[in-house]
């Protein structure tokens, strides 16, 4: 693949005035686009970031489709609960829905670590048969970054399902009991309608509890959790055959790195399931100015940016060109980033003409246009279709390099 | 003039005889200070670099991959060590071998070329990434150990053992990062250079099978248990679907390993089942 990189000239690109064409408005935002309506003035970012302007582009395979995938659905056959050492000494009741469950006990920081032989699991007909017991060392060797003193048991298939009592006579302090039922047909599904949002915006959560593939009634609650650990309760209401909520996000997001979560806790006939979904929440520190200049000869798109907060901002976008069969295909990806003080500036996406396959040309579209705040790791603006550049398209054969005949 | 000549030669024969090829080994989650001995082990590194025209053109990365992938101690550290390697050895063709989460850190650099002014030069020298068992779509095991629910808000957040790299490799988190910051997964634009994975499909931990002892017997026993969180096709830490989520699949382990044996997650960074010789042969491609 051929790439074009330009650090030295990026400064010039940032200041590019787009004299080659008149400014045009960005295409109207679509239903799934994210466009800040108000901007937030924030203190300087705490993250150390690059200060030099950098631009980069690379060629794409026109046959490889680019599309927006829906956020992943979180499915769960597991749950977690906190217990006190005294409870664990007396015995904690567990209701298991399938044979072969795994039970892990993790001590809190000041709790006593447990040895594998300290665990007792009592079934309705006596001690439950365990297939395997693992300690912290074995779990860590397998890549599970468990805490000190963690133990895990796997029930033998013949231990079956039903009611069990988990106990550990040596328990002191607080513990997290984690129950995972890989063979269970009781499955919680949680989905969100987007994986990025702006502070003060909304996000939709939908939850289903299925048993053997059929939705069943469940009680549930949820928590909105920020990357710095703050949380807000979310009430789940009946929604179709499941539960759901429209969640209003706080206006004041955090600058702590990481994602926000909607954590869901459900119970159907005593069978518990927890699930988590993740998404980014951005403070709208900047936005595109709403117009662009496209230099058709250079395939450069200059984008005015309004920055309400100092930071390092990046524009990225995909150039679609018209293929010989008349369809628009992705041909080039360009990024451009620079440090901005508060105020207006410009970022220029410099697509490279050598990225145009033979026979490709105008009309062009710039799609998947995004503005990101690199200094706060925040996706600010996204437009599925940002600009269309018409032009007379003529048959071109320039020895492997396409040539634009702009009108 | 040499560059021009090399360019002409590249058109008819690759790699160019005048090119200076080097290989970098990029470890997975964890903070390494001696990954050569502790993470990869000499049998792996020395065998693979032996396939280079100049076997001295190698580097073993030591960074803090307990951090988020974009962190200066993760991708920043990796960029620094790769840049030093490229400059000090005059590398013109860089092959990067990653394991597990190291693939995500490398993919961060490839997906975000304007994040750091050192990234474009690394990408321009990069020929390909051979990603051994990359955690491109995260792992349910990271979800399991996070304990991050409401009940654990008082406990989980202070337990302290969930580092940011584990947090990041939760499946829902990687889905978000793949959709917003990283390239190469389904529906997303392609990465600027080849990113191809070696996928581990199973774990053998029979005490009567000598293959179970490569990479450590007890480690493989643990992987058999962690497989309970995973699909039928997994290496004990990652589903095959996660290992193959970004870029292209170079090969599934059993298609090319000695005896068609699977590579568990611990074995895919070691000289097990001929993996080292497969990688060694690739150094001359």
């Amino acid at each position: 693949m051929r790439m074009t990189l330009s650090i030295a000239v990026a400064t010039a690109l940032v200041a590019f005035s787009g004299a080659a064409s008149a400014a045009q408005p960005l295409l109207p935002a679509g239903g799934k686009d994210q466009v800040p309506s108000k901007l937030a003035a924030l203190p300087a970012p705490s993250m150390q970031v690059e200060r030099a302007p950098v631009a980069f582009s690379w060629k794409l395979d026109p046959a490889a489709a680019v599309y927006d995938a829906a956020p992943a659905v979180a499915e769960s056959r597991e749950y977690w609960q906190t217990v006190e050492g005294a409870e664990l000494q007396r015995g904690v009741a567990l209701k298991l829905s399938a044979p072969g469950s795994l039970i892990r006990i993790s001590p809190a920081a000041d709790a006593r670590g447990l040895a594998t032989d300290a665990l007792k699991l009592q079934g309705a007909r006596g001690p439950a048969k365990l297939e395997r017991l693992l300690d912290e060392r074995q779990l860590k060797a397998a890549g599970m970054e468990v805490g000190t003193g963690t133990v895990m048991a796997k029930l033998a298939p013949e231990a079956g399902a039903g009611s069990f009592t988990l106990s550990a006579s040596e328990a002191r302090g607080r513990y997290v009991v984690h129950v995972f039922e890989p063979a269970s047909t009781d499955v919680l599904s949680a989905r969100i309608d987007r994986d990025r949002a702006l502070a003060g915006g909304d996000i939709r959560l939908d939850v289903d509890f299925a048993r053997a593939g059929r939705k069943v009634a469940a009680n549930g609650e949820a928590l909105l959790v920020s990357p710095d650990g703050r949380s807000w309760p979310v009430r789940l209401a009946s929604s179709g055959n499941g539960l759901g909520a429209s969640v209003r996000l706080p206006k004041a997001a955090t600058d702590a790195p990481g994602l926000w979560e909607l954590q869901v806790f459900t119970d159907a006939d005593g069978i518990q399931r927890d699930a988590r979904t993740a998404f980014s929440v951005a403070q709208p520190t900047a936005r595109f100015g709403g117009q662009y200049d496209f230099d058709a000869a250079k395939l450069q798109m200059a984008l005015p940016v309004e920055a309400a907060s100092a930071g390092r901002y990046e524009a990225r976008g995909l150039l679609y060109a018209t293929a010989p069969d008349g369809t628009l295909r992705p041909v080039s990806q360009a990024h451009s980033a620079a440090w901005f003080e508060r105020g207006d500036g410009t970022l220029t996406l410099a697509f490279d003409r050598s990225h145009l396959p033979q026979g490709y040309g105008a009309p062009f579209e710039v799609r998947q246009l995004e503005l990101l705040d690199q200094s706060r790791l925040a996706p600010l603006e996204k437009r599925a279709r940002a600009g269309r550049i018409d032009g007379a398209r003529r048959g071109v054969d320039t020895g492997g390099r396409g040539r634009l005949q702009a009108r | 003039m040499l560059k021009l000549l090399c360019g002409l030669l590249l058109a008819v024969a690759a790699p160019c005889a005048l090119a200076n090829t080097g290989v970098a080994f990029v470890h997975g989650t964890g903070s390494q200070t001696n990954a050569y001995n502790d993470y990869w082990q000499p049998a792996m590194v020395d065998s693979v670099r032996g396939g280079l025209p100049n076997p001295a053109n190698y580097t073993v990365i030591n960074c803090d991959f307990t951090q988020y992938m974009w962190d200066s101690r993760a991708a920043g550290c990796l960029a620094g060590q790769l840049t030093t390697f490229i400059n000090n050895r005059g590398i013109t063709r860089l092959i990067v071998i990653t394991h597990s989460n190291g693939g995500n850190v490398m993919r961060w650099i490839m997906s975000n070329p304007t994040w750091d002014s050192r990234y474009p030069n690394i990408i321009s020298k990069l020929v390909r990434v051979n990603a051994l068992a990359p955690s491109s779509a995260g792992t349910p095991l990271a979800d399991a150990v996070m304990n991050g629910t409401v009940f654990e808000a008082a406990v989980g957040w202070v337990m302290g053992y969930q580092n940011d790299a584990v947090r990041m490799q939760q499946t829902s988190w990687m889905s978000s990062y793949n959709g917003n910051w990283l390239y190469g997964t389904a529906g997303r634009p392609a990465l600027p250079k080849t990113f191809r994975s070696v996928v581990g499909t199973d774990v053998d931990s029979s005490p009567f099978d000598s293959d179970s002892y490569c990479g450590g017997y007890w480690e493989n026993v643990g992987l058999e248990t962690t497989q309970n969180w995973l699909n039928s096709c997994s290496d004990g830490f990652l589903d095959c679907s996660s290992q193959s989520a970004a870029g292209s699949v170079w090969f599934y382990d059993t298609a090319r390993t000695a005896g068609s044996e699977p590579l568990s997650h611990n074995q895919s960074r070691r000289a097990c089942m001929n993996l080292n010789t497969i990688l060694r042969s690739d150094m001359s491609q």
Side-chain angles (χ1 to χ4, degrees):
Chain A
M1 290 183 196
R2 176 159 179 175
M3 292 169 301
T4 301
L5 67 96
S6 173
I7 299 172
V9 301
T11 306
L13 295 178
V14 169
F16 174 71
S17 65
S21 67
Q24 304 176 60
L26 291 169
L27 293 173
K32 291 189 174 179
D33 289 352
Q34 176 173 295
V35 180
S37 57
K38 291 181 181 176
L39 295 182
L42 301 184
S46 55
M47 191 190 307
Q48 281 197 328
V49 293
E50 177 67 67
R51 289 299 187 109
V54 183
F56 195 90
S57 68
W58 66 97
K59 186 176 181 177
L60 296 177
D61 175 2
V66 177
Y67 54 89
D68 271 332
V73 176
E75 290 193 342
S76 168
R77 292 177 172 83
E78 57 195 325
Y79 71 94
W80 294 257
Q81 71 179 96
T82 301
V83 298
E84 295 295 333
E87 293 176 80
L88 207 45
Q89 289 176 24
R90 290 193 300 272
V92 175
L94 303 177
K95 187 174 179 182
L96 305 179
S97 64
S101 296
L102 291 104
I103 299 163
R104 181 170 57 102
I105 305 179
S106 305
D110 56 350
R112 176 184 288 180
L114 299 175
T116 50
D117 58 3
L119 277 191
K120 299 282 184 286
L121 198 62
Q122 193 78 11
R125 298 186 302 274
K129 186 175 180 186
L130 301 180
E131 181 180 289
R132 187 167 286 172
L133 275 167
L134 294 169
D135 60 19
E136 167 201 342
R137 185 185 67 85
Q138 291 165 316
L139 291 168
K140 280 185 171 173
M144 283 188 90
E145 291 295 321
V146 297
T148 304
T150 293
V151 293
M152 183 160 74
K154 177 173 171 55
L155 273 74
E158 53 266 39
S163 297
F164 294 83
T165 302
L166 174 71
S167 62
S169 58
E170 297 174 357
R172 302 283 188 281
R174 277 201 294 179
Y175 298 82
V176 175
V177 175
H178 173 203
V179 176
F180 175 51
E181 301 192 88
S184 177
T185 61
D186 285 15
V187 181
L188 169 67
S189 299
R191 63 181 64 78
I192 48 178
D193 66 345
R194 66 195 64 200
D195 59 12
R196 58 160 68 188
L198 293 171
D202 297 302
I203 197 158
R204 174 73 196 174
L205 171 68
D206 286 293
V207 174
D208 296 322
F209 198 117
R211 178 162 293 148
R214 297 185 61 181
K215 291 179 182 176
V216 297
N219 299 314
E221 58 183 353
L223 259 195
L224 173 66
V225 182
S226 71
D228 58 8
R230 291 177 297 150
S231 61
W232 297 261
V234 172
R235 194 178 72 84
L236 296 180
S238 295
S239 173
N241 290 328
L243 301 167
S246 290
V247 182
R248 174 60 52 89
L249 301 168
K251 287 182 179 173
T254 172
D255 64 354
L259 299 176
W260 290 60
E261 291 184 335
L262 275 163
Q263 302 179 355
V264 181
F265 317 97
T266 56
D267 182 311
D269 306 319
I271 302 300
Q272 298 181 61
R273 293 287 182 264
D274 299 345
R276 276 167 285 169
T277 62
F279 51 97
S280 67
V281 177
Q283 287 275 21
T285 49
R287 64 186 170 196
F288 287 124
Q291 294 196 318
Y292 68 93
D293 282 336
F294 195 90
D295 184 327
K298 296 178 179 173
L299 294 186
Q300 292 184 354
M301 185 185 211
L303 293 150
V305 173
E306 300 172 25
S309 308
R312 181 175 175 83
Y313 296 101
E314 180 200 72
R316 56 174 67 177
L318 260 167
L319 181 70
Y320 278 67
T322 303
D325 65 2
T327 60
L328 282 164
R329 300 291 179 87
V331 296
S332 183
Q333 175 80 35
H335 292 203
S336 177
W339 178 266
F340 282 62
E341 296 300 334
R342 188 179 299 183
D344 295 341
T346 302
L347 289 168
T348 296
L349 296 177
F351 303 102
D352 194 293
R353 288 188 58 198
S354 70
H355 297 168
L356 279 178
Q358 186 174 344
Y360 282 61
F364 299 102
E365 280 198 14
V366 175
R367 298 184 182 177
Q368 305 292 329
L369 179 67
E370 295 184 65
L371 181 66
L372 302 128
D373 183 344
Q374 289 185 341
S375 46
R376 299 174 182 87
L377 214 81
L380 301 173
E381 184 164 346
K382 183 172 185 178
R383 293 168 179 266
R385 292 181 68 222
R388 182 177 176 85
I389 302 92
D390 291 319
R393 196 173 163 279
R394 303 179 188 161
V396 286
D397 184 349
T398 56
R401 292 173 57 127
R403 186 181 67 215
L404 169 68
Q405 298 283 337
R407 196 158 49 193
Chain B
M1 187 61 194
L2 276 178
K3 282 183 180 175
L4 176 62
L5 182 59
C6 186
L8 292 171
L9 285 173
L10 267 172
V12 294
C16 175
L18 298 175
N20 193 23
T21 304
V23 62
F25 294 82
V26 181
H27 59 82
T29 300
S31 183
Q32 298 293 332
T33 55
N34 186 5
Y36 172 76
N37 282 309
D38 300 339
Y39 194 86
W40 299 98
Q41 297 187 344
M44 178 69 156
V45 173
D46 295 343
S47 174
V48 174
R49 71 187 178 91
L52 290 168
N54 178 359
N57 281 350
Y58 80 104
T59 185
V60 179
I61 301 299
N62 290 293
C63 289
D64 183 1
F65 290 172
T66 64
Q67 308 298 329
Y68 287 119
M69 55 190 155
W70 58 82
D71 194 282
S72 60
R73 294 160 288 182
C77 169
L78 174 57
Q81 293 187 20
L82 289 177
T83 299
T84 300
F85 174 57
I86 289 167
N87 293 342
N88 289 354
R89 304 291 309 181
I91 301 300
T92 58
R93 298 180 74 251
L94 175 65
I95 299 172
V96 173
I97 296 174
T98 66
H99 183 251
S100 194
N101 182 44
N104 293 326
V105 184
M106 196 62 211
R107 200 153 58 92
W108 174 267
I109 290 176
M110 298 166 74
S111 301
N112 296 279
T114 67
W115 181 272
D116 184 315
S117 59
R118 296 170 297 182
Y119 288 6
N121 185 51
I122 293 168
I123 297 170
S124 72
K125 300 294 189 298
L126 187 65
V127 176
R128 61 183 165 271
V129 176
N130 292 331
L132 309 175
S135 53
S136 299
T139 173
L141 293 174
D143 300 17
V145 299
M146 282 308 298
N147 293 339
T149 62
V150 59
F151 306 111
E152 291 73 40
V155 180
W157 290 102
V158 299
M159 278 182 156
Y161 57 74
Q162 308 98 330
N163 64 54
D164 287 337
V166 175
R167 190 183 305 275
M168 181 188 83
Q169 288 175 88
Q170 295 177 90
T171 53
S172 58
W173 284 51
M174 283 306 298
S175 172
S176 178
Y177 288 128
N178 280 325
N180 288 292
W181 289 95
L182 298 173
Y183 291 138
T185 52
R188 297 282 284 161
L191 293 158
K193 291 291 178 68
T194 298
F195 183 95
R196 58 182 190 175
S197 58
V198 175
V199 179
T201 60
D202 204 354
V203 179
D204 270 348
S205 66
S206 165
F208 307 109
D209 184 348
S210 60
D211 295 325
S212 303
Y213 291 83
C214 190
Y217 175 73
W218 285 108
E219 284 78 356
N220 289 333
V221 170
L223 286 171
E224 277 227 332
T225 300
T226 54
Q227 268 190 314
N228 285 283
W229 269 270
L230 304 165
N231 296 326
S232 56
C233 182
S234 81
D235 69 352
F237 184 69
L238 298 169
D239 283 321
C240 297
S241 57
S242 179
Q243 299 174 64
S244 59
S248 59
V249 173
W250 182 13
F251 63 90
Y252 288 87
D253 50 10
T254 54
R256 295 191 59 177
T257 50
S260 297
E261 290 287 342
L263 291 166
S264 74
H265 199 66
N266 283 321
Q267 291 170 333
S268 55
R269 60 186 160 109
R270 299 281 166 80
C272 295
M273 273 63 93
N274 262 0
L275 176 62
N276 52 312
T277 60
I278 296 169
L279 294 168
R280 179 189 176 102
S281 298
D282 181 64
M283 294 299 103
S284 59
Q285 302 299 308

